[in-house]
Amino acid sequence: SDPHKRTLHNVWPEGTNEADKIFNQSEELRNILSRYGTHALWAAPLDVDVETPEKQLQPHTIVLSSFRIFFINADKQICGSYHFLDVISIESFTYSRVNFKFHPDVIWSCISEQTGNIVSAIHQHFHNSFPGNHFINIRVIPEDRLQPLQRTEGLICGGFLATYAAVCSYLGTTVREDVCWDITHMYSKGNRC
């Protein structure tokens, strides 16, 4: 079982999950993301600024999975896939534009009516995976567009289990069930975390 999945219920901004609408009840989305061994938790439509002389906008969908951000084009192809630990910064200085900077020097400039919801969903998800750590640079103006983080009650060992799963995903290693069992049953019960 996915130890991270237990910490994700009811953490997205209300009324913003459009994955089912965008991908016909998410069947297409499941097929697209199954290649990555993951599933969608949240999605929103946006337009991507393509570097052409005409400054053309192309429709995409941003999709959040357990540990990744995907950009999927109108042809249902993944154009970009980034782990949360690849995020350098997310900036939104207007109500309709958001810029993502990923390692190594990849920038996505996007336009959406949901920029506040997009940034808030990523911020919340990152907080769920790395509680107490703020090493992702998120700048939103005005700041009240960034929804307050929801408390993640009952995280096992202060969220260590979620962080462990996220780092394993980033490094491409398998989450060890024996380590998860130890954290869940031994350390959290004895309050030694």
Side-chain angles (χ1 to χ4, degrees), residues 39-164:
H39 61 281
L41 298 174
W42 190 90
L46 50 74
D47 291 317
V48 175
D49 240 343
V50 180
E51 291 297 320
T52 63
E54 302 87 30
K55 289 289 186 189
Q56 186 179 8
L57 294 175
Q58 292 184 353
H60 282 68
T61 301
I62 186 170
V63 178
L64 305 183
S65 70
S66 295
F67 309 113
R68 301 189 78 77
I69 300 170
F70 294 93
F71 292 92
I72 300 175
N73 67 15
D75 295 327
K76 309 284 191 284
Q77 296 174 336
I78 296 173
C79 299
S81 170
Y82 307 93
H83 194 279
F84 277 88
L85 290 175
D86 289 324
V87 178
I88 296 171
S89 66
I90 301 172
E91 298 176 333
S92 179
F93 300 127
T94 68
Y95 284 91
S96 62
R97 182 171 290 278
V98 60
N99 295 314
F100 301 91
K101 186 172 183 183
F102 300 99
H103 286 290
D105 294 325
V106 176
I107 297 174
W108 285 76
S109 183
C110 306
I111 295 174
S112 174
E113 294 177 8
Q114 298 188 35
T115 57
N117 290 334
I118 291 169
V119 176
S120 293
I122 293 169
H123 188 224
Q124 181 67 54
H125 186 71
F126 189 85
H127 172 73
N128 293 347
S129 296
F130 302 97
N133 292 301
H134 304 285
F135 50 87
I136 185 174
N137 182 13
I138 297 178
R139 295 177 38 202
V140 176
I141 296 177
E143 291 180 11
D144 64 352
R145 289 177 36 225
L146 189 61
Q147 297 175 13
L149 291 172
Q150 297 177 17
R151 292 181 51 110
T152 48
E153 302 289 331
L155 290 178
I156 295 172
C157 210
F160 180 78
L161 194 58
T163 302
Y164 168 67

